[in-house]
Amino acid sequence: MLVGPLLRRVVADRATIWVETSAPTTVRVVTDGPAGGAAATFSAFGHHYALVVVDGLPPGTSTRYQVLLDDRQVWPEPDQRYPASVIRTRRADDADQQVRLLFGSCRETTQHSTARRLPPDALDSYARRLMELDPADDAWPDLLMLLGDQVYADETSPVIRRFLRHRRRHRGLPPGAPDDQVVSFPEYTRLYLESWRDPEIRWLLSTVPSVMIFDDHEVIDDWNTSAAWRAEMRGEAWWAERISSGLASYWVYQHLGNLSPDEIAADPVYRAVTGVEDATEVLREFGTRVDAEADVAHDQRQWSQVQYQWSYALDLGRTRVVVLDNRCSRVLRPGARSMLPAGEWAWFTDQVHGDYDHLVVGSSLPWLMPHGIHHLEAWNEKLADSPRRTVATVAEWLRQSVDLEHWAAFQRSFDALGQLFARVGSGQRQTAEAGAGAGATPPARVGAGPAYPPPASISVLSGDVHHSYVARAALPGEVHTPVHQLTCSPIHNQVPAAMRPLMRLGWWRGPATAVRALARAAGLPAPSLRWRKLDGPYFGNAVSTLVHDGPAAEVLLEGTGKDGQLRTVARRRLTDPPPR
C-alpha cells in the first residue's frame, strides 16, 4: 500500500476507504465485528487504486479496522506506533448530536519546510493532539474539510525536483515545460505520495473522514483567472498534458472520495475506470474533456448535457454542507463572468433549500475579503470589461499580476450569493421545484413545497489567502440568520513578511474608502451588502473547528507556536444568545 488508507465518507452504516497500491490486487477492509468490504483495484498510468465501501457499521460506535491486500495485512503496519485507526459512526437519532467540522487550506509538505523554514505544520500538530483523545470523546471531529492547495504542482519541494530531474533525464521534458513543475499524471502521483505519507498526516487521514476541493495550485497559480489567461496557456505546448493530468489525478486522489457510496456507484467516470483493464486513456480523455467544457459552461443547455460537476453536498446531523468548485467551471466571458455556470448555480440553489439547522458553504476562495481588496477587485473587473482596448488590456495585466480573482472579481456571483443568503436567512426557504433556477445566476425561483424557518447559522468556509479571519455580513432586509465568513489559511505555508502590512491595510477604513472612491469613479455602485471583521487577521499556520450544538454555532481558530503546539488564536460564538 503506497498511499492510504484514507477514510473518506461515513454515511449511516457505511464508509468509504481509499488506497493506492503498488500492483493490481483485491483490497479488503475487516473489522472486529461483522462490518467489512472489498474491492478490486483499477489501474491507470501504471498506478493502482481502490475505493472500498465498508457495510454494516453499528451506529454510535468507533470501530477499529484493518486493511488487507490479497489477505495480507498492510494496515496497521507491524511497527505502528500510533493509535488504531477507527471508523466513527453517528447515532441513528443524531438530530441533537453535536457536529464538529475541522477545516483549513494550503498545506505544503514537510520537505518544503526544510528548504524554506516554514513554521510548524498545523495539521501535524492537530494529529498529535488527537492521538491523545478517545474516539468517543466529544472533541473528536466528524469531518475534515480541506479547502484547496492540498498539493502544489507549480511550487515543488527539493525532493520532487530531484525526482523530476531523474525522470526527465530518461524520458525528456515536454517542449517549454517548466523544469521544476510537474506535468504528467505519474509526476502528480509523487506529490500525493510525498504529502500523504507524512506519518502524522497518514494516521489522521486514516481515522477522520475527509472531503476536499481544489484551488489553483493543484493545477497552477491563478488557474482560470480569465479568458485571456486560458488562451495564453493553450499556446504552451506542455499545457494540454498538464491540465489533463491535473484534473485526472484530482479526480482519483481527491474527488472520488468526496462522493457517498450511492454517488460513487452512479458516477460515470468511476464506472468507466473500473470497467476496463487499463483506464489510462479513460482518465486522459476525461481530464481533457472537463477542461474544454469550461468554454461552454455559460450555455445552460450544454451544461446540463455534458458538464462534469465537482461541487458536492452532504448532511451531517442537522448541518447541511455544500462545497463549491471555484475554479474549473468558472464562466470567464467578459461582461458575464460567474463563479459557477447557470446549471450548477441552479443545483446549488436547490441544495440550500430544505430542512436543516445550519448551512455551511465550502468555498476555496473567500466570499468576504478585506474591504480594500474587495473594492480593488470589483474596480478591476469593471475596467477589464471596458470597450477601450487599452484600458481593458491594462486591467487584464493587473488582474493576472496581483491575483484579482476572488468573488469580488465576479460581481454577479458575489451579489447573487448575498441575495441567496438573505432569502434563506429571512425564512424564504422552501423545497425547490425540480429544475428550478436553470438559466441564471440570480437566484432560482422556489416552488410551493413546505417552508422552513431560517437556519440558526450560515457559514462560508474558505482558505487561499494565507491569513485567517472571521467576518460577519450585514445583509439587507429582515435577515434573522447570522452569516459569517470563516477563513483559515494556511495549514502549512506562509505569506511573505512584506505582504502582511498590505493585507492589514485592506481592512482599514481609510485605504478601503480610497479604493472605494476609485471603484465609484469607474461607475460601480456600492456593494450590495456590508460586512465587518470580528477576528484576525492571523498570519501563522492554523486549523479551525466549526462546532454546531443544537441551535448554537461557534468557531475556534488555533495556530502553531514555535514548539509545534496549537494555541487558541480566536474563539467566536456565531449565533446570538437566546433571549432571556
Side-chain angles (χ1 to χ4, degrees):
M1 187 166 62
L2 298 178
V3 183
L6 272 73
L7 174 61
R8 298 305 307 271
R9 293 287 304 279
V10 178
V11 183
D13 65 344
R14 295 189 292 173
T16 55
I17 292 178
W18 180 98
V19 301
E20 179 182 357
T21 63
S22 60
T25 185
T26 296
V27 182
R28 285 204 304 132
V29 176
V30 299
T31 69
D32 297 336
T41 55
F42 64 88
S43 302
F45 298 91
H47 291 255
H48 314 281
Y49 309 94
L51 190 71
V52 180
V53 177
V54 180
D55 284 298
L57 294 161
T61 61
S62 298
T63 303
R64 297 186 180 191
Y65 72 89
Q66 299 83 43
V67 178
L68 288 71
L69 304 185
D70 288 337
D71 297 322
R72 177 175 57 89
Q73 181 176 317
V74 294
W75 187 267
E77 295 176 323
D79 56 349
Q80 178 90 319
R81 56 190 178 92
Y82 299 128
S85 299
V86 300
I87 305 172
R88 186 174 183 256
T89 54
R90 296 175 63 83
R91 299 194 314 264
D93 56 338
D94 68 346
D96 62 344
Q97 189 176 349
Q98 189 182 83
V99 172
R100 300 181 71 90
L101 302 176
L102 176 68
F103 67 96
S105 78
C106 307
R107 180 181 176 269
E108 290 193 339
T109 63
T110 304
Q111 288 82 354
H112 281 88
S113 67
T114 59
R116 297 178 54 203
R117 297 184 181 178
L118 295 176
D121 185 329
L123 207 56
D124 263 347
S125 300
Y126 187 92
R128 288 192 295 271
R129 188 176 70 186
L130 196 65
M131 291 175 190
E132 305 298 322
L133 287 183
D134 186 314
D137 194 294
D138 286 344
W140 196 271
D142 291 288
L143 188 67
L144 167 63
M145 298 179 64
L146 296 173
L147 296 169
D149 297 346
Q150 280 69 260
V151 295
Y152 285 73
D154 54 341
E155 298 177 10
T156 53
S157 72
V159 173
I160 294 296
R161 290 196 291 272
R162 285 195 296 271
F163 161 74
L164 293 176
R165 286 195 297 270
H166 176 77
R167 172 182 168 81
R168 291 166 178 176
R169 194 176 299 133
H170 302 284
R171 299 173 182 264
L173 184 68
D179 58 8
D180 59 350
Q181 298 184 25
V182 304
V183 174
S184 67
F185 188 102
E187 292 171 356
Y188 262 99
T189 67
R190 295 302 287 247
L191 297 180
Y192 289 100
L193 182 71
E194 178 184 65
S195 182
W196 290 352
R197 278 190 70 94
D198 175 302
E200 288 82 7
I201 299 302
R202 189 181 192 186
W203 174 83
L204 181 70
L205 293 175
S206 76
T207 203
V208 175
S210 60
V211 294
M212 310 174 188
I213 193 67
F214 45 42
D215 195 30
D216 52 346
H217 288 286
E218 273 89 356
V219 177
I220 195 169
D221 190 28
D222 302 335
W223 172 34
N224 278 352
T225 190
S226 66
W229 183 94
R230 281 179 65 83
E232 180 181 341
M233 293 308 297
R234 281 207 189 96
E236 300 287 346
W238 53 275
W239 178 247
E241 183 173 9
R242 169 69 159 270
I243 187 62
S244 173
S245 299
L247 291 171
S249 61
Y250 172 77
W251 182 88
V252 171
Y253 284 87
Q254 298 194 50
H255 180 70
L256 182 57
N258 293 333
L259 307 179
S260 70
D262 290 341
E263 290 168 334
I264 291 165
D267 186 83
V269 184
Y270 185 69
R271 291 201 302 267
V273 299
T274 55
V276 294
E277 184 175 350
D278 182 353
T280 297
E281 290 307 315
V282 172
L283 287 177
R284 180 178 285 127
E285 184 278 333
F286 167 72
T288 301
R289 173 173 56 83
V290 169
D291 177 59
E293 286 171 354
D295 293 326
V296 296
H298 60 271
D299 186 326
Q300 165 63 21
R301 179 178 52 80
Q302 293 185 29
W303 186 95
S304 63
Q305 294 172 359
V306 302
Q307 186 88 356
Y308 190 84
Q309 181 171 305
W310 301 109
S311 301
Y312 56 94
L314 59 96
D315 287 341
L316 276 173
R318 295 287 298 167
T319 296
R320 172 73 47 87
V321 179
V322 186
V323 182
L324 301 179
D325 163 19
N326 287 174
R327 286 288 174 185
C328 188
S329 300
R330 289 175 167 182
V331 176
L332 299 174
R333 190 176 59 207
R337 293 181 183 86
S338 179
M339 274 291 184
L340 296 174
E344 195 163 346
W345 184 271
W347 169 88
F348 171 45
T349 303
D350 286 346
Q351 301 308 307
V352 303
H353 293 96
D355 185 16
Y356 56 83
D357 292 339
H358 299 273
L359 174 62
V360 174
V361 176
S363 167
S364 64
L365 301 177
W367 172 52
L368 303 179
M369 294 278 287
H371 300 89
I373 297 175
H374 173 95
H375 298 319
L376 181 65
E377 294 197 1
W379 167 79
N380 177 261
E381 184 192 27
K382 181 73 171 179
L383 294 189
D385 293 340
S386 172
R388 298 164 60 187
R389 176 176 294 185
T390 301
V391 173
T393 299
V394 172
E396 174 64 31
W397 172 83
L398 188 62
R399 184 184 183 96
Q400 294 191 31
S401 298
V402 292
D403 300 355
L404 304 180
E405 51 154 2
H406 300 84
W407 283 83
F410 294 79
Q411 274 290 296
R412 292 174 70 245
S413 297
F414 175 87
D415 291 340
L417 189 58
Q419 292 163 14
L420 181 59
F421 288 160
R423 207 172 66 244
V424 171
S426 60
Q428 301 175 47
R429 180 162 57 114
Q430 297 173 301
T431 303
E433 292 179 348
T441 299
R445 61 190 175 90
V446 176
Y452 301 102
S457 73
I458 298 174
S459 300
V460 180
L461 276 51
S462 305
D464 178 67
V465 291
H466 290 195
H467 66 288
S468 303
Y469 58 90
V470 177
R472 179 163 179 169
L475 299 171
E478 296 185 9
V479 180
H480 307 290
T481 301
V483 179
H484 290 86
Q485 171 70 61
L486 310 178
T487 302
C488 184
S489 167
I491 291 173
H492 191 220
N493 208 319
Q494 63 182 354
V495 67
M499 291 292 294
R500 297 180 187 184
L502 295 176
M503 291 180 172
R504 291 185 189 276
L505 279 173
W507 286 109
W508 291 7
R509 177 173 296 180
T513 301
V515 183
R516 169 65 195 128
L518 193 67
R520 188 166 53 246
L524 274 173
S528 56
L529 58 106
R530 294 178 290 108
W531 64 98
R532 60 189 176 93
K533 177 178 64 66
L534 302 179
D535 296 292
Y538 173 69
F539 292 99
N541 289 333
V543 291
S544 288
T545 304
L546 175 62
V547 181
H548 294 152
D549 193 355
E554 180 180 83
V555 67
L556 172 66
L557 171 64
E558 297 179 284
T560 52
K562 292 182 179 179
D563 60 357
Q565 301 297 310
L566 289 173
R567 60 183 180 85
T568 298
V569 174
R571 184 188 295 271
R572 173 68 58 173
R573 184 183 176 97
L574 304 178
T575 47
D576 300 323
R580 293 183 178 181

